[in-house]
Amino acid sequence: MLNAAQSFTSVRLATDSASGSVDKSVQVKLVLLGEAAVGKSSVVLRFVSNEFQANKEPTIGAAFLTQKCRLEDRVLRYEIWDTAGQERFHSLAPMYYRNAQAAVVVYDITKASSLEKAKSWVKELQRQANPNIVIALAGNKLDLVQPSVSSPGAASTSESEDEADDATATPGETPGALGEPASLRQVPREEAQAYATEAGLLFFETSAKTGEGIVDIFTEIAKKIPIEHILAATRGTGRPGAAGSRADGARQEGGVNLEENAAKSRDACNC
Amino acid sequence: MPRADLKLDELYEQEEDIGEASPYLGVVHTPASSTTVSSTEGSITTATPARAGFPESFEVPHIPPSISRKKSLGQLNSPSSPSLPKLNRPAALSRSQTLPRVTQLESKPRRRQAELSQLDANPETIEKIRRWIIGIAIVDFDVDDGPVIDGIYPPSMVLPAEAENLAFSSFPDSLQFDQGSQCHSFRIRELNSVHAEKRPPTKDGFIYGHAYFTQRRDSASKRGYEQRSVVILTQHQFPAFFSLLISIFGPLFQQHELPMLESACQNIAKWRDPTPGEILELGFLGSVLRVVIPRTTDEQQFTPSPAAVGTYDPKHHIAASSSPLMPPPMVLFETALSQLCSSTSTVQRSPSVPPAGPAPGWKSKTHKRYISKDRALLKQLETALRGDERAKLNASLALRRHFHSRTSEVITPLARYLNTLIPTPTEVAKSSTDTLRLKPFSSANFFASLKAHGSTLPFRSTSKRIEFYERLLKTPSFGLWLAQQERIVEGVLKEKRTV
């Protein structure tokens, strides 16, 4: 399916010296999807700036952020599209996952319905996105179901308070000193894990607030991304999924080349 | 030097002939008197005095109204001719006598403006959006009123006459289709500068519009069609960049309406400043655009080197102020190419003007060719016309490189001579701040310099070379260029002085 123009541009990443600092790294388009107020923007903010904001305003449309990562001898540059969870922006999603090599679908472990929404996003991605897209499922707000060890006095203001105007704030209140924080959990880890395995997704439970599990998502995605395939296809004009069958096979086997490298040392993203 | 006065009077009258009834008549005349030579000037109102010893042969450049700049910006305020009139357009420019007049935009709140006012009006966000654009306007065809602006976001003040002009310009002149879409761009003159809180100031007195027009059948409409344009209005002269932007945004807006408008504006709000000379990476509606902002509006922007042409992607590496490369510009004069290539043709153009648009068979008796044709390039263009899109793009890039190098080559002898007019450090030390400036341009000395150093342009003969520069020195472009060089040199000298 590659036409002349596409094959022309295919070597740009490696050879074009005019495009500045970005050309040495592999560009990976990554999209975040999920219900409103599950903490998508907080996950990205933790990954990109290692920060957490308690009261983040809802995203409009989609925010664009980048983060460079090193994985072994590779440099990846994530071009992250953090989409709005609000219903009125849902029809815009295809524009953000089009040509994406990776997706992080986020749900809130304290809200069962958010996993259902996540499943519908996964379904849509598997049907309509690039055939070789790497999808990770992230169950966020892990901090809410863990006994707060750090500062018992500080009320755990979860990111669930963000986007309160969507009326999706976490049910229940902040765990008291003797409370049963685990009772807030509505999605058992095993259930989500089983679904992820069945659907062929990477799976993590995360807390954007504490940072737990965040870097791991992006590291594992980096390992699973068929980088050779991205290099062979082209960012931009090309549709990396267009010549997907071969890479698709690689994906089934767990991203062979990269897995070999990754097996030696579990090197985290350098970020 | 009474001659200068005389010429300016002529100039003024000439402008009046084409309808420049300036309300600032007094302003035009008052500074005109300062062209008379005086060594004691230093008045605050007149920007820079003219000086003695101005060469007789040099003509005060005629500045067409289209390139007159805003006084407030001080741009191109020629130190040698400070009295050039600051032309102002008549306060009302009515587009058409056949269209009903748009009286007051505010007086007729449109459906969409109400919807748009529901959108994010956080002043911080709006301020950020305004670094890049004035706003995105929706223009509909109203059966009673003709084209009307239905709303602008972020909210921007538009004077009624500007609104009429904008609405009119947002629709194509003629349609090539029954149902479909097309992009075009235009610019309109800003009538009065508006308070910066109400809309961002223009850079050069113009508002640039990039429109995406759609026409589709609509049985609900009295006309049987829905006709609508969505227009990016901006203060920046970045045609390649904004043409691409509207080509991405237009179709998406047609499909998704307001959420798309919001999303686009939120992306723009997050962009870094359009700082001159910067290479920016901009996320826009799922795409990443890499844009090079020109250092100045006159800069001839980067075109990929021949080695990089094969991999150059105009969708993702955008020289903001260049002309759009999609579709490849060379197709514009496809029909004229046979004329250009034929050895018997008399067609020739000034090297700095791209030969866009001459009609088939177009010939000129008045254009004399001074330089030899680049036959290799013409051959490449001819071949590319029969090739694919990539070939056409590459040929277009080659054409741009050609004009770029020809332009530089034209300027080189002038720049070489001008360098000799910069005061030496000793002269700088001796002179007072008021008189620090480029020494007068002497045509005779320039030609002597030209004779001594020659030119890299392939002139057909030495006499052609002289003829060419004689003609060039008489053009308004040269006058503007010289004025700009003077201003730059003066700025540098003053800076050195104060340091």
Side-chain angles (χ1 to χ4, degrees), chain A residues 36-37 111 162-170:
Chain A
K111 195 180 175 204
D162 324 337
E163 311 184 34
D165 60 332
D166 289 313
T168 53
T170 308

Side-chain angles (χ1 to χ4, degrees), chain A residues 42-185:
Chain A
S42 295
V43 166
V44 178
L45 189 66
R46 175 60 76 190
F47 177 56
V48 169
S49 319
N50 200 19
E51 281 170 22
F52 178 73
Q53 267 176 40
N55 288 299
K56 264 185 86 53
E57 71 285 357
T59 305
I60 295 172
F64 173 69
L65 299 97
T66 61
Q67 176 65 293
K68 217 175 207 175
C69 297
R70 191 187 310 276
L71 182 79
E72 315 256 300
D73 56 340
R74 291 248 183 241
V75 181
L76 265 83
R77 194 159 170 282
Y78 281 114
E79 296 178 347
I80 302 167
W81 290 92
D82 168 28
T83 65
Q86 289 176 346
E87 201 66 39
R88 69 191 171 110
F89 292 112
H90 279 184
S91 62
L92 275 53
M95 158 172 113
Y96 299 110
Y97 64 65
R98 192 169 47 94
N99 294 338
Q101 286 98 19
V104 177
V105 181
V106 186
Y107 69 96
D108 174 354
I109 59 170
T110 69
K111 195 180 175 204
S113 65
S114 70
L115 179 63
E116 295 313 304
K117 188 76 205 176
K119 286 179 181 174
S120 72
W121 278 124
V122 170
K123 210 170 178 184
E124 178 167 338
L125 287 173
Q126 289 180 332
R127 216 171 20 214
Q128 298 191 50
N130 286 338
N132 55 336
I133 190 169
V134 175
I135 305 173
L137 180 70
N140 195 32
K141 304 196 188 179
L142 191 56
D143 54 287
L144 286 182
V145 302
Q146 286 168 335
S148 72
V149 275
S150 50
S151 50
S156 168
T157 45
S158 146
E159 61 266 39
S160 61
E161 285 183 9
D162 324 337
E163 311 184 34
D165 60 332
D166 289 313
T168 53
T170 308
E173 55 287 293
T174 55
L178 297 169
E180 291 277 5
S183 68
L184 285 175
R185 182 188 277 274

Side-chain angles (χ1 to χ4, degrees), chain A residues 4-5 8-9 11-12 19 22 27 29 60-62 64 66 77 79 81 88-89 91-92 95-96 235-237, chain B residues 120 252 256 259-260 262-263 266-267 270 281 283-288 290 302 310-311 313 316-317 388 390:
Chain A
F8 260 122
T9 49
V11 290
R12 181 163 61 88
S19 59
V22 291
Q27 314 285 316
K29 182 176 179 180
I60 295 172
F64 173 69
T66 61
R77 194 159 170 282
E79 296 178 347
W81 290 92
R88 69 191 171 110
F89 292 112
S91 62
L92 275 53
M95 158 172 113
Y96 299 110
R235 261 196 79 255
T237 50
Chain B
D120 185 1
L252 292 170
H256 300 281
M260 189 57 72
E262 267 186 287
S263 305
Q266 288 294 324
N267 284 160
K270 295 269 168 61
E281 185 186 58
F284 187 68
L285 302 177
S287 302
V288 181
R290 294 196 172 78
F302 156 81
T311 58
D313 181 357
H316 295 275
H317 287 79
D388 59 6
R390 187 76 220 179

Side-chain angles (χ1 to χ4, degrees), chain B residues 53-179:
Chain B
F54 203 72
E56 299 267 312
S57 57
F58 176 67
E59 293 190 10
V60 175
H62 161 103
I63 298 193
S66 61
I67 30 181
S68 74
R69 307 292 171 108
K70 286 179 74 190
K71 191 180 181 180
S72 59
L73 293 168
Q75 276 186 359
L76 301 178
N77 195 3
S78 167
S80 59
S81 312
S83 53
L84 287 173
K86 304 284 181 303
L87 296 163
N88 279 276
R89 287 274 171 176
L93 175 69
S94 189
R95 265 297 172 182
S96 162
Q97 301 306 321
T98 56
L99 287 174
R101 274 169 201 282
V102 178
T103 44
Q104 280 276 318
L105 189 66
E106 288 83 351
S107 70
K108 234 183 170 185
R110 297 258 157 197
R111 177 175 54 92
R112 254 165 220 291
Q113 194 59 63
E115 285 174 17
L116 291 175
S117 59
Q118 306 289 313
L119 302 185
D120 185 1
N122 176 355
E124 223 174 280
T125 312
I126 287 175
E127 199 181 308
K128 291 215 155 138
I129 296 170
R130 284 179 169 171
R131 295 167 306 156
W132 283 88
I133 62 170
I134 292 170
I136 298 180
I138 301 157
V139 183
D140 275 328
F141 193 94
D142 184 290
V143 176
D144 301 317
D145 294 341
V148 281
I149 296 181
D150 233 6
I152 300 181
Y153 179 83
S156 261
M157 178 165 169
V158 178
L159 302 172
E162 285 172 338
E164 186 185 27
N165 204 351
L166 279 175
F168 182 91
S169 306
S170 299
F171 275 50
D173 284 339
S174 62
L175 282 182
Q176 312 291 321
F177 48 79
D178 178 54
Q179 294 198 86

Side-chain angles (χ1 to χ4, degrees), chain B residues 119-371:
Chain B
L119 302 185
D120 185 1
N122 176 355
E124 223 174 280
T125 312
I126 287 175
E127 199 181 308
K128 291 215 155 138
I129 296 170
R130 284 179 169 171
R131 295 167 306 156
W132 283 88
I133 62 170
I134 292 170
I136 298 180
I138 301 157
V139 183
D140 275 328
F141 193 94
D142 184 290
V143 176
D144 301 317
D145 294 341
V148 281
I149 296 181
D150 233 6
I152 300 181
Y153 179 83
S156 261
M157 178 165 169
V158 178
L159 302 172
E162 285 172 338
E164 186 185 27
N165 204 351
L166 279 175
F168 182 91
S169 306
S170 299
F171 275 50
D173 284 339
S174 62
L175 282 182
Q176 312 291 321
F177 48 79
D178 178 54
Q179 294 198 86
S181 302
Q182 68 165 72
C183 292
H184 72 276
S185 56
F186 60 88
R187 68 175 189 182
I188 68 154
R189 197 174 289 273
E190 183 183 41
L191 291 179
N192 290 91
S193 53
V194 171
H195 195 279
E197 265 176 34
K198 301 203 167 152
R199 86 172 178 216
T202 58
K203 304 277 173 194
D204 53 8
F206 289 101
I207 295 171
Y208 294 87
H210 298 268
Y212 178 85
F213 169 82
T214 308
Q215 171 166 292
R216 54 186 170 200
R217 290 211 179 107
D218 174 17
S219 49
S221 160
K222 262 194 255 177
R223 281 163 71 86
Y225 286 93
E226 182 203 70
Q227 293 169 305
R228 176 161 87 168
S229 272
V230 56
V231 194
I232 298 176
L233 301 174
T234 174
Q235 64 272 42
H236 297 289
Q237 192 182 352
F238 297 160
F241 173 61
F242 283 108
S243 297
L244 176 63
L245 218 56
I246 193 70
S247 74
I248 295 172
F249 174 71
L252 292 170
F253 176 78
Q254 273 300 109
Q255 210 182 335
H256 300 281
E257 303 246 324
L258 290 195
M260 189 57 72
L261 179 68
E262 267 186 287
S263 305
C265 286
Q266 288 294 324
N267 284 160
I268 294 171
K270 295 269 168 61
W271 290 352
R272 280 165 56 201
D273 292 351
T275 311
E278 291 268 293
I279 302 172
L280 302 177
E281 185 186 58
L282 309 174
F284 187 68
L285 302 177
S287 302
V288 181
L289 317 172
R290 294 196 172 78
V291 185
V292 188
I293 306 295
R295 283 177 202 85
T296 67
T297 44
D298 294 330
E299 183 194 350
Q300 294 200 29
Q301 273 201 292
F302 156 81
T303 51
S305 65
V309 159
T311 58
Y312 178 77
D313 181 357
K315 272 193 194 147
H316 295 275
H317 287 79
I318 309 139
S321 69
S322 68
S323 57
L325 283 168
M326 310 283 277
M330 69 163 290
V331 300
L332 287 176
F333 59 101
E334 187 173 346
T335 48
L337 202 60
S338 57
Q339 296 289 328
L340 287 165
C341 294
S342 83
S343 53
T344 54
S345 166
T346 55
V347 173
Q348 177 59 31
R349 312 200 116 240
S350 155
S352 61
V353 184
W362 177 77
K363 302 226 178 191
S364 169
K365 293 252 160 26
T366 55
H367 272 76
K368 283 184 242 151
R369 189 140 52 83
Y370 297 97
I371 47 181

